Amino acid sequence: MIITSAKDKKNLLCVLEGYRSVFLVGCGSCATACNTGGEKEVLEMQEFLEHNGKSVTGWIIPDETCQQMLCRKELRVNSRQVEDAACLLVLACGAGVQSIGSVIDDKPIFSALDSLFLGNVERIGKYAETCSMCGNCVLNKTGGICPVTRCAKGLLNGPCGGPVDGKCEVNPDNDCAWILIYKRLKACGRLDKLDDITLPADRQTREKPFHLDTKKRQ
Amino acid sequence: MSNLRKKLEARTPVITGELTPPKGTDTKQFLDDAKTIGKCVDAINITDNPRASMRMGSLGGAYLLKQINIEPIFQITGRDRNRISLQSDLLSAWTMGIENVLVTTGDNVSAGDHKGAKPVFDLDSTQMLYALHNLNNGKDLEGNPLCGATGFCYGAAVNPFLTPEELNFIRIRQKIQQGVSFFQTQPVFEIPVFESFINAYNDLQKTVPVIAGILILKSAQMARFVNSNISGIRIPDNIISGLENSQNQLEYGISLAVDLGNSLLGMVSGIHIMSIGLEHRVEGIINAIKGRTD
């Protein structure tokens, strides 16, 4: 899921300066699971804004705020409250913010969260980035452990010279991804996969922005 | 052909030094230091923004050495350059008369003085060596023909103390496959551990000359700093306490460098002296190292 964190609320007040009324949008999916954009956080934001002299005209929490059609529908249902607001504040990932922006084009849309990464949930509140969605997956060669993401330097042919006791030189809290890969491949009898070098990645797969139309693809 | 390549091919012991270009445009000290060590080493490595701290570039530094007839080893990392820039700088280097290159991964930007910079790492060190192999064969990384090939003598870094050893040797074999002419190592302080590494290395089907690193320690404080801040280097406690308990820490460090040099020259093809501000002592150290042959 997309891991998000709340922006500093004082800075948020600076962003909202000059706007007296706000309509809030949360997200029923990732941001709810992250405790950054669910009902509790939306209501806390309402209280905070009202305490600081703003009026909150209403709020919605679409099941998935990145779904543009869903957002369009929910905003239409709440059109009067949206109309009364001078701006919208979205407690969702960047895709959610822009999903709202694709529906509302005559009011400022602000983001209350920072989008951090695509993360695995180790437990509630503890997330780990394991995939960068690079479009060039090397997991079949690397024992299912992604060096693009889990090696601080994204190295494709083994570790740099820096790991100490299996830990990354950049952040010793992290395991060296390449030592994990080595151990996994060795345990599976697949260490020979590292004999041939991996050639430079095709970064064209990172040319932004991406679009995928599965109908066109077929 | 570079002096370094000639010596490596003749399997004559090689001695290299190391200098870091200035933080700024005043190159006087850099060139004075180059002249000081240039007369007693075969080539001088010019580091590439070491520890990710922004300085004058290694290409410019290497070129300045060429201008005063001192042979440079142009160090290049993938941290700050994508594949276009890497190959472009290598072509520039060759046309400037720079014939030796050392490829390293590069410290992460978080170690340096521009921590918010975007790390590039478009190519890892093995892929940079692959690019060098192509350039020497008259084509770029994509296989497009060059009008004029390079003829670099290029090498790679190796950390003899990296574990698991089996993984370290996978990396070493990969680099040898890419046509490296030499390896330069991290500073060595533990001779028995290094000896065990070099014995395993010598058992490989194909090897290339190894130039072992020697870092001159000025004080126990410096040794502790290195242990805490420079990845891939470990100075054992007995050396730190030896420095601490000596009456003159600098002379203890110099004497240690000489002892390490003596031990290492018997095991490998050369030594690489990292003097960091003690360039005026390098000649004395080299002269004191037994077994020096030209």
Side-chain angles (χ1 to χ4, degrees):
Chain A
M1 79 179 173
I2 307 297
I3 309 302
T4 47
S5 66
K7 284 183 179 288
D8 179 72
K9 282 194 172 148
K10 277 186 192 161
N11 287 344
L12 218 48
L13 284 180
C14 295
V15 171
L16 295 174
E17 199 176 331
Y19 299 100
R20 296 289 308 274
S21 52
V22 185
F23 185 84
L24 298 175
V25 182
C27 172
S29 185
C30 304
T32 290
C34 266
N35 296 326
T36 51
E39 187 173 332
K40 178 172 167 278
E41 294 77 30
V42 168
L43 292 176
E44 280 171 3
M45 182 60 77
Q46 178 177 13
E47 191 182 329
F48 170 77
L49 293 175
E50 286 174 350
H51 181 73
N52 283 279
K54 313 268 183 207
S55 74
V56 173
T57 62
W59 53 268
I60 55 169
I61 302 178
D63 285 347
E64 287 168 329
T65 308
C66 54
Q67 280 221 32
Q68 293 181 195
M69 286 170 69
L70 188 64
C71 290
R72 186 181 301 278
K73 190 176 152 195
E74 295 219 15
L75 288 169
R76 195 179 295 140
V77 171
N78 293 274
S79 58
R80 187 177 295 165
Q81 292 101 313
V82 173
E83 194 56 42
D84 288 346
C87 67
L88 286 83
L89 180 64
V90 184
L91 291 78
C93 70
V97 175
Q98 291 173 78
S99 184
I100 299 299
S102 73
V103 180
I104 308 280
D105 56 10
D106 60 350
K107 290 181 194 294
I109 317 287
F110 297 116
S111 171
L113 308 183
D114 287 314
S115 304
L116 302 178
F117 53 88
L118 172 66
N120 287 26
V121 183
E122 293 179 353
R123 58 174 165 72
I124 298 298
K126 193 173 182 209
Y127 311 108
E129 186 181 21
T130 58
C131 172
S132 302
M133 297 193 289
C134 68
N136 234 327
C137 192
V138 295
L139 288 175
N140 291 347
K141 183 177 177 182
T142 58
I145 295 165
C146 177
V148 176
T149 309
R150 297 173 70 177
C151 165
K153 301 175 185 177
L155 306 179
L156 291 177
N157 282 293
C160 64
V164 177
D165 299 329
K167 296 294 181 183
C168 173
E169 70 162 33
V170 177
N171 182 354
D173 290 339
N174 292 333
D175 292 323
C176 167
W178 272 103
I179 292 178
L180 294 179
I181 291 167
Y182 159 78
K183 286 179 178 169
R184 176 77 59 86
L185 290 175
K186 190 174 170 70
C188 299
R190 286 165 57 85
L191 212 48
D192 59 315
K193 296 288 161 206
L194 299 183
D195 288 345
D196 296 325
I197 75 159
T198 299
L199 293 175
D202 178 3
R203 314 278 179 197
Q204 287 180 96
T205 60
R206 299 304 301 153
E207 269 177 13
K208 291 179 179 177
F210 296 109
H211 294 278
L212 175 65
D213 186 334
T214 51
K215 279 185 184 165
K216 274 189 189 167
R217 208 184 216 191
Q218 283 161 5
Chain B
M1 185 189 285
S2 75
N3 186 36
L4 178 69
R5 188 196 286 277
K6 273 185 217 157
K7 286 204 157 189
L8 291 169
E9 286 183 359
R11 298 273 168 167
T12 310
V14 166
I15 297 185
T16 53
E18 180 171 308
L19 287 175
T20 295
K23 175 99 184 167
T25 57
D26 183 352
T27 56
K28 185 178 182 309
Q29 184 68 50
F30 173 70
L31 289 173
D32 285 349
D33 290 343
K35 287 173 195 159
T36 303
I37 58 172
K39 63 189 176 198
C40 49
V41 299
D42 299 305
I44 301 176
N45 284 51
I46 304 302
T47 57
D48 182 9
N49 295 303
R51 298 194 66 234
S53 291
M54 193 286 295
R55 312 177 76 91
M56 177 186 164
S58 52
L59 178 57
Y63 180 65
L64 290 184
L65 259 63
K66 279 297 294 183
Q67 299 294 91
I68 53 170
N69 296 316
I70 295 173
E71 187 165 307
I73 301 173
F74 167 37
Q75 287 196 195
I76 190 163
T77 79
R79 180 194 55 230
D80 310 318
R81 304 168 176 88
N82 70 6
R83 66 192 78 179
I84 298 172
S85 176
L86 280 166
Q87 294 178 97
S88 176
D89 279 357
L90 287 165
L91 293 181
S92 300
W94 182 254
T95 61
M96 290 171 178
I98 296 161
E99 295 175 89
N100 310 309
V101 176
L102 178 79
V103 165
T104 62
T105 305
D107 297 316
N108 206 51
V109 295
S110 57
D113 59 0
H114 287 63
K115 293 184 193 300
K118 182 179 183 180
V120 181
F121 298 116
D122 183 24
L123 303 187
D124 62 30
S125 56
T126 308
Q127 294 164 342
M128 283 191 269
L129 296 170
Y130 175 75
L132 270 158
H133 181 265
N134 274 13
L135 296 180
N136 272 4
N137 284 287
K139 51 190 182 178
D140 69 13
L141 199 50
E142 294 290 325
N144 301 309
L146 302 175
C147 68
T150 61
F152 287 117
C153 168
Y154 59 90
V158 62
N159 179 0
F161 311 108
L162 181 72
T163 54
E165 194 180 60
E166 188 178 23
L167 179 59
N168 202 13
F169 277 102
I170 290 171
R171 296 285 287 129
I172 288 168
R173 283 198 303 271
Q174 283 176 351
K175 291 175 178 179
I176 292 173
Q177 274 171 22
Q178 302 315 312
V180 293
S181 296
F182 63 92
F183 283 118
Q184 284 184 318
T185 80
Q186 303 278 36
V188 177
F189 290 99
E190 295 168 289
I191 293 294
V193 185
F194 184 77
E195 196 169 17
S196 152
F197 163 81
I198 209 72
N199 287 339
Y201 176 82
N202 288 334
D203 284 342
L204 291 178
Q205 222 167 20
K206 187 183 175 195
T207 62
V208 297
V210 171
I211 302 170
I214 295 174
L215 173 65
I216 309 173
L217 294 174
K218 294 175 200 168
S219 63
Q221 188 188 359
M222 175 187 175
R224 285 200 193 89
F225 177 85
V226 169
N227 273 350
S228 308
N229 295 285
I230 317 278
S231 54
I233 307 178
R234 211 195 80 76
I235 302 166
D237 292 342
N238 66 316
I239 288 184
I240 297 177
S241 57
L243 281 161
E244 215 152 36
N245 297 331
S246 66
Q247 287 192 328
N248 186 326
Q249 296 199 14
L250 174 60
E251 292 310 319
Y252 185 94
I254 301 274
S255 162
L256 175 70
V258 172
D259 290 346
L260 288 168
N262 277 328
S263 304
L264 291 169
L265 262 188
M267 287 187 248
V268 291
S269 306
I271 52 172
H272 174 69
I273 300 175
M274 289 164 254
S275 44
I276 314 177
L278 291 173
E279 285 68 32
H280 59 291
R281 302 298 301 267
V282 171
E283 187 172 18
I285 290 170
I286 292 171
N287 288 337
I289 293 173
K290 292 174 214 162
R292 165 91 163 109
T293 52
D294 287 313

